[in-house]
Amino acid sequence: MVELEFQQKTKTLIDSLKSICANYGLGNDGNEFKIITQTFLYKFLNDKFAFEAKKLDDTIAKADKWEEALVAMSEDDLDMLQLQMGGDTARLKPQHFISYLFSQQNAPDFAKLFDDTLIDIAISNNDVFAVKTDGGAKVVLFDRISQYIADDSKRDAFCRAIINKLVEFSFERIFTQKFDFYATIFEYLIKDYNSNSGGKYAEYFTPHAVARIMAEILVPQDQRGTVRNVSCYDPSAGSGTLLMNVAHAIGENRCSIYTQDISQKSSNLLRLNLILNNLVHSIPNVIQGNTVLHPYHKDGKELKRFDYIVSNPPFKLDFSDFRDELDSKENKERFFAGIPKAPAKAKDKMAIYSLFLQHIIASLKPNGKAAVVVPTGFITAQSGIDKKIREHLVKNKMLAGVVSMPSNIFATTGTNVSILFIDASNDGDVVLVDASNLGEKVKDGKNQKTVLTADEEQQIIDVFNAKEAVEDFSVAVSYDDIEAKNYSLSAGQYFDVKIEYVDITPEQFAEKMQGFTNNLDSLFSQSRELETEIKKQLAGLKYEA
């Protein structure tokens, strides 16, 4: 009950912040998501600091106003207190507290004080909380929020409105909540900002069903608690949905996250996701940059290799501007199956996913596992790069299986998708699942999407992990079987063709055959009569000038 109550209160806070933006002309503005996510994060870090301080110091815990107890501490005592806090708690000074800004809201140039506070917090925590670009620059936690209000005279009022909303709410009672709670909050927080309205580099929010199926197959329930000290990577991380699910399955304190994504917006959202999910230690591994052209994570000159890799790469993205740069000697091994050619027209149809898939294979440890969303056409293509990749996976015995998902599992794209599971140490059977007939069609805004029930999700997971053959649904096949089928990974091509046999007596058989013969005699007779009639009609035709 407490979870649901605070979940609703948190959503109300988010709605209130969006309402403030709308009242000041920023509703659906390109900068609205920066304001919403950054003010939400400021509040979260403020309350997390208070939560940790109260756990460490009884005087603060028992004080009517914890902020005043902290202000009364000497500088040395405050430094010692912060040293005792975990690495996922931001280092704050008394003048950074929301209560302090609330007390100063009638001061002149309040917007400048508000902005300066956020910038000072960002600078003080730069080493831990900054996202890096592939060029080495750091993207700090906060911007100057008031700058997005064009009218200078309205900036103070805008910042006051935000502080008044933040001071009314506290996260402190929910810091003990786990992944599922924060996943719901995060999805609600970014639901308006992670869609295909993003233009050229649009980020698509991976459906929960896809993320859960990936995580449950990569890290089965019977392995929970035994996996530790592993690395998890997503070369097209977006806002981190896939990684958060895998990290939760492994245990947030048992893994390190590594990411790269070309979108600065996505990288900022991913940072927020890591903070919410106790993965602050991985923020230094979040890189904003072009994975295909400039892969950042390396061991020396070689690509860094990972224990787990998940990805929902872009399917259609124009990379013609740098395509020729990829065709180099140093990329021969990484792009072993080739680089797609740039079509003369419709460059949005370039198969960039094949580059990400090859990069993932090259980035996997010898005993590593990966799960990648691919267009379903990939699993049956009879020529080109797609087939070469499948041949590579089969010949090197590093394929776990494929789950073909229902159409419209992504509301924002009509492309049918499958999940390709790679296991670099699998020399046994490969599991192929056809889940295309599962799910229920529902409206999602202007779009239609397919939603799987929890039971259907579990059915896919259980059948795959058990390598179970279920009629017209799943099959377990050998690498030799796949090679014999020209490397097709479509489950349907391996299903048994069933012929129903009916026991009949010789007399019944003779009777059926006589019936067929009589029927044919009748049809032949009608055919001869029709032939005679047609000839008669043709003979009666006359030419009239």
Side-chain angles (χ1 to χ4, degrees):
M1 193 65 182
V2 173
E3 288 184 26
L4 292 175
E5 177 191 347
F6 271 86
Q7 209 166 64
Q8 189 53 52
K9 286 184 176 180
T10 307
K11 290 179 179 180
T12 300
L13 171 66
I14 295 166
D15 289 340
S16 297
L17 294 174
K18 290 182 179 180
S19 178
I20 291 170
C21 287
N23 291 339
Y24 284 85
L26 292 169
N28 298 318
D29 181 87
N31 295 309
E32 184 191 20
F33 92 95
K34 295 181 181 178
I35 297 168
I36 300 299
T37 55
Q38 289 186 35
T39 53
F40 181 91
L41 179 57
Y42 172 44
K43 176 61 177 172
F44 187 88
L45 294 178
N46 208 275
D47 290 353
K48 184 69 183 295
F49 184 94
F51 178 76
E52 295 297 333
K54 290 175 182 179
K55 282 202 305 184
L56 293 168
D57 192 303
D58 283 343
T59 303
I60 298 171
K62 293 175 182 177
D64 291 335
K65 294 185 178 180
W66 63 268
E67 300 94 336
E68 292 179 1
L70 277 163
V71 169
M73 295 177 72
S74 68
E75 190 172 332
D76 287 344
D77 286 344
L78 186 57
D79 286 343
M80 181 59 68
L81 179 69
Q82 296 200 41
L83 285 173
Q84 293 176 291
M85 292 181 179
D88 58 351
T89 305
R91 302 298 181 249
L92 301 181
K93 304 168 187 174
Q95 62 267 30
H96 293 156
F97 300 151
I98 288 172
S99 59
Y100 175 78
L101 286 182
F102 181 74
S103 71
Q104 298 295 312
Q105 62 178 303
N106 293 320
D109 295 327
F110 177 70
K112 182 178 184 304
L113 175 62
F114 185 94
D115 288 345
D116 287 348
T117 299
L118 294 185
I119 296 301
D120 194 36
I121 293 172
I123 293 170
S124 300
N125 294 276
N126 210 27
D127 289 343
V128 176
F129 287 88
V131 170
K132 288 183 290 189
T133 68
D134 55 9
K138 289 190 173 182
V139 183
V140 297
L141 269 174
F142 299 117
D143 298 324
R144 292 187 176 275
I145 283 178
S146 71
Q147 70 178 327
Y148 301 117
I149 302 294
D151 188 341
D152 290 0
S153 67
K154 294 181 179 180
R155 290 179 176 175
D156 286 351
F158 174 70
C159 292
R160 277 196 294 269
I162 288 176
I163 284 297
N164 282 322
K165 284 297 178 187
L166 296 184
V167 80
E168 295 172 356
F169 178 82
S170 175
F171 281 112
E172 286 187 58
R173 284 178 61 190
I174 59 173
F175 283 118
T176 55
Q177 296 298 324
K178 301 299 181 183
F179 167 76
D180 290 337
F181 179 88
Y182 289 113
T184 302
I185 292 300
F186 182 76
E187 289 178 23
Y188 190 80
L189 180 65
I190 70 168
K191 67 184 177 71
D192 296 328
Y193 313 122
N194 226 35
S195 66
N196 60 346
S197 59
K200 183 177 180 183
Y201 297 118
E203 300 97 300
Y204 296 101
F205 191 86
T206 307
H208 174 74
V210 174
R212 179 171 176 256
I213 290 168
M214 281 185 170
E216 293 279 349
I217 289 175
L218 287 177
V219 192
Q221 288 289 337
D222 59 3
Q223 294 180 19
R224 304 290 168 93
T226 64
V227 179
R228 53 175 55 88
N229 299 323
V230 293
S231 55
C232 305
Y233 175 53
D234 189 337
S236 55
S239 53
T241 304
L242 296 179
L243 282 169
M244 295 306 104
N245 278 266
V246 172
H248 175 61
I250 295 169
E252 290 83 359
N253 61 343
R254 294 192 179 100
C255 64
S256 294
I257 300 296
Y258 293 81
T259 76
Q260 191 163 349
D261 196 286
I262 199 168
S263 166
Q264 182 172 317
K265 181 176 81 171
S266 284
S267 298
N268 284 332
L269 291 174
L270 172 58
R271 169 170 53 190
L272 173 58
N273 215 355
L274 290 171
I275 292 170
L276 293 179
N277 287 286
N278 292 320
L279 285 159
V280 171
H281 61 274
S282 291
I283 290 178
N285 304 328
V286 174
I287 303 300
Q288 185 237 312
N290 188 328
T291 305
V292 171
L293 185 59
H294 299 299
Y296 180 86
H297 297 292
K298 293 185 176 182
D299 286 329
K301 292 185 178 180
E302 300 295 320
L303 286 177
K304 183 176 179 63
R305 292 178 179 265
F306 301 94
D307 298 290
Y308 294 92
I309 304 178
V310 289
S311 181
N312 175 18
F315 290 178
K316 303 171 184 177
L317 187 66
D318 179 7
F319 59 95
S320 57
D321 289 347
F322 58 87
R323 190 240 175 236
D324 292 343
E325 293 182 62
L326 301 175
D327 197 5
S328 59
K329 184 178 179 181
E330 57 266 29
N331 275 326
K332 288 293 183 185
E333 186 175 348
R334 182 163 65 127
F335 300 129
F336 58 87
I339 300 166
K341 294 180 179 179
K345 297 179 180 179
K347 290 183 178 179
D348 64 328
K349 296 189 181 301
M350 297 180 76
I352 192 170
Y353 69 86
S354 66
L355 295 176
F356 276 96
L357 186 49
Q358 291 176 82
H359 171 80
I360 287 165
I361 293 169
S363 300
L364 202 60
K365 283 185 177 180
N367 60 343
K369 296 181 179 182
V372 189
V373 179
V374 295
T376 293
F378 164 83
I379 68 176
T380 55
Q382 289 304 298
S383 62
I385 294 172
D386 287 353
K387 186 179 180 185
K388 288 180 182 177
I389 294 173
R390 299 200 315 271
E391 288 179 359
H392 178 91
L393 293 173
V394 170
K395 289 178 178 178
N396 289 280
K397 294 187 175 180
M398 54 188 308
L399 182 63
V402 171
V403 176
S404 296
M405 299 297 287
S407 60
N408 299 112
I409 197 74
F410 287 80
T412 47
T413 174
T415 304
N416 288 341
V417 304
S418 294
I419 309 173
L420 176 70
F421 289 92
I422 302 170
D423 183 345
S425 61
N426 179 39
D427 54 7
D429 283 345
V430 175
V431 185
L432 305 177
V433 178
D434 181 3
S436 61
N437 294 318
L438 299 184
E440 179 185 357
K441 304 291 184 186
V442 298
K443 291 290 288 183
D444 183 16
K446 295 180 180 178
N447 301 311
Q448 178 176 272
K449 69 176 181 180
T450 303
V451 177
L452 297 176
T453 66
D455 287 344
E456 288 173 329
E457 289 178 32
Q458 199 60 49
Q459 179 188 8
I460 294 169
I461 293 163
D462 291 344
V463 164
F464 194 103
N465 286 338
K467 294 191 174 185
E468 182 182 354
V470 176
E471 185 176 341
D472 294 333
F473 183 70
S474 64
V475 64
V477 297
S478 69
Y479 285 114
D480 289 340
D481 292 334
I482 295 173
E483 188 172 355
K485 291 284 189 181
N486 208 16
Y487 301 98
S488 171
L489 302 181
S490 173
Q493 293 198 23
Y494 298 87
F495 291 155
D496 291 334
V497 177
K498 291 184 170 52
I499 301 174
E500 292 189 7
Y501 294 92
V502 179
D503 290 332
I504 59 176
T505 64
E507 292 78 12
Q508 289 173 325
F509 176 77
E511 184 180 345
K512 281 184 175 290
M513 293 304 296
Q514 186 60 50
F516 292 148
T517 301
N518 292 341
N519 190 36
L520 282 173
D521 287 342
S522 175
L523 290 172
F524 289 152
S525 176
Q526 292 177 39
S527 174
R528 286 190 292 272
E529 290 176 4
L530 184 59
E531 180 183 349
T532 301
E533 182 63 26
I534 291 172
K535 287 180 178 179
K536 180 179 177 182
Q537 293 294 330
L538 286 173
L541 291 176
K542 295 180 180 180
Y543 175 76
E544 295 183 4

